[in-house]
Amino acid sequence: AQLRAAAEGSVAAHIAGMRATRPGGSEAGVAAAMVGELMRRGLGQSYGPIVTVHGEVLHNERQVNPIAAGDLLLADVGGETDEGWAADITRVWPVSGAFSPTQRAIYDIVLASNVAAIQKARSGVRYRHVHETAGRVIVEGLRSLGIFRGDIDGLIERGAAAIFFPHGVGHLLGLDVHDMEDLGDRAGYAPGRSRSTRFGDCYLRLDRDLEPGMAVTIEPGFYQVPGILGDEAYTSAIGSDLDRDVLARYADVRGIRVEDDVLITAGDPDVLTGGVPKDASAIESLMREARG
């Protein structure tokens, strides 16, 4: 019940953020609307809110920028009950109220990755395989746009996913937004399992077989990080199979992440945060309604 209460209040906060967004406003103004909704519902913040037009900067907790038409706003905001039960949601929406064609194309790939990974998150499934599912959908989608060239399996084997998705697909959730991580990999990794040394995969926080009662986040993303794209240490294995001319057409997409909180059951995954729109058309509809 506490986990659901945190999720429900956080859902309301994200909807409030979408409704409060206007060109000419500010990251801080949207963050204030979201945190205010959490407070109105008696919730604290489970972590420092991330509300930014620079979604390519992971864990960017500084809300200092104006927001303008053409920007995508990434909001990673979650509430926490008095007892400490946490929620963790990320959504991305267009400041103008409508995605550009290039923004929509990338957004739909990340959304498809989120949906596929959630469907994979079932009792008995190894969480690493959920992560791999998310990465494969990202690579397949970028291959369909022409950003990647070549065989899908070969691209994945050479680490293509991590160029744009350089983190794990999620983590445990509960009496902390990163539940039990103070215990390190003793909590997140099953006996006999250890972190990969490969870029991207090495940041996977959880590698256990999922069981009923576990709560996890599912949060794939796409980020154009200059420090990755400009460093051959990360891109040389892909080489010319990364078509930078095609990628340049998507310059209005800095960072996108779609994150939900999922309760593992004996049957289908229970998405606790499904009340926040994540289909691009549904987001646009909500924003049109908010603006009259």
Side-chain angles (χ1 to χ4, degrees):
Q2 291 290 319
L3 203 59
R4 291 187 188 278
E8 289 169 5
S10 302
V11 164
H14 278 261
I15 292 173
M18 292 179 186
R19 291 183 176 277
T21 299
R22 298 288 189 282
S26 66
E27 295 169 340
V30 177
M34 298 180 76
V35 172
E37 184 65 21
L38 292 176
M39 294 175 67
R40 193 177 74 80
R41 292 171 177 269
L43 296 174
Q45 301 169 53
S46 56
Y47 50 92
I50 299 165
V51 181
T52 180
V53 294
H54 285 286
E56 78 279 13
V57 181
L58 300 181
H59 301 120
N60 180 7
E61 297 181 9
R62 299 180 69 241
Q63 294 98 35
V64 297
N65 295 299
I67 59 177
D71 287 334
L72 290 176
L73 189 66
L74 183 150
D76 186 340
V77 176
E80 183 176 274
T81 68
D82 288 343
E83 290 82 358
W85 294 92
D88 187 358
I89 307 174
T90 307
R91 291 291 188 268
V92 170
W93 56 86
V95 172
S96 69
F99 291 92
S100 73
T102 46
Q103 290 169 344
R104 177 68 179 262
I106 299 292
Y107 183 88
D108 283 348
I109 290 169
V110 177
L111 177 60
S113 177
N114 166 273
V115 171
I118 288 172
Q119 286 304 308
K120 185 75 172 179
R122 295 170 182 269
S123 179
V125 172
R126 184 175 177 178
Y127 192 73
R128 179 177 295 279
H129 296 162
V130 178
H131 172 74
E132 291 168 351
T133 295
R136 173 173 284 273
V137 174
I138 296 289
V139 172
E140 289 173 344
L142 298 180
R143 171 67 176 80
S144 73
L145 295 180
I147 292 172
F148 284 134
R149 293 189 290 243
D151 172 70
I152 295 294
D153 289 337
L155 287 166
I156 290 170
E157 180 63 28
R158 288 183 283 153
I163 293 175
F164 297 105
F165 173 34
H167 60 76
V169 76
H171 50 81
L172 287 168
L173 183 73
L175 276 169
D176 191 358
V177 70
H178 290 171
D179 196 38
M180 297 193 296
E181 283 193 8
D182 286 347
L183 298 174
D185 288 349
R186 288 178 295 174
Y189 278 65
R193 296 178 185 171
S194 59
R195 287 190 183 237
S196 169
T197 58
R198 190 165 82 160
F199 175 65
D201 293 344
C202 65
Y203 297 113
L204 184 62
R205 299 174 184 268
L206 178 63
D207 188 12
R208 287 185 172 273
D209 294 347
L210 297 173
E211 301 176 14
M214 283 184 172
V216 298
T217 66
I218 301 293
E219 49 184 298
F222 169 94
Y223 316 89
Q224 296 204 55
V225 182
I228 294 175
L229 290 168
D231 191 334
E232 289 191 357
Y234 302 120
T235 62
S236 61
I238 304 302
S240 62
D241 285 337
L242 170 60
D243 192 324
R244 293 178 184 268
D245 290 336
V246 175
L247 180 62
R249 301 172 194 165
Y250 297 87
D252 63 346
V253 184
R254 293 168 174 163
I256 293 174
R257 182 167 61 256
V258 181
E259 177 182 17
D260 283 297
D261 300 346
V262 178
L263 180 65
I264 306 304
T265 73
D268 293 339
D270 183 358
V271 182
L272 303 178
T273 50
V276 191
K278 61 181 179 181
D279 176 81
S281 295
I283 291 171
E284 291 174 340
S285 178
L286 185 152
M287 297 184 76
R288 280 196 304 271
E289 184 273 332
R291 296 176 186 187

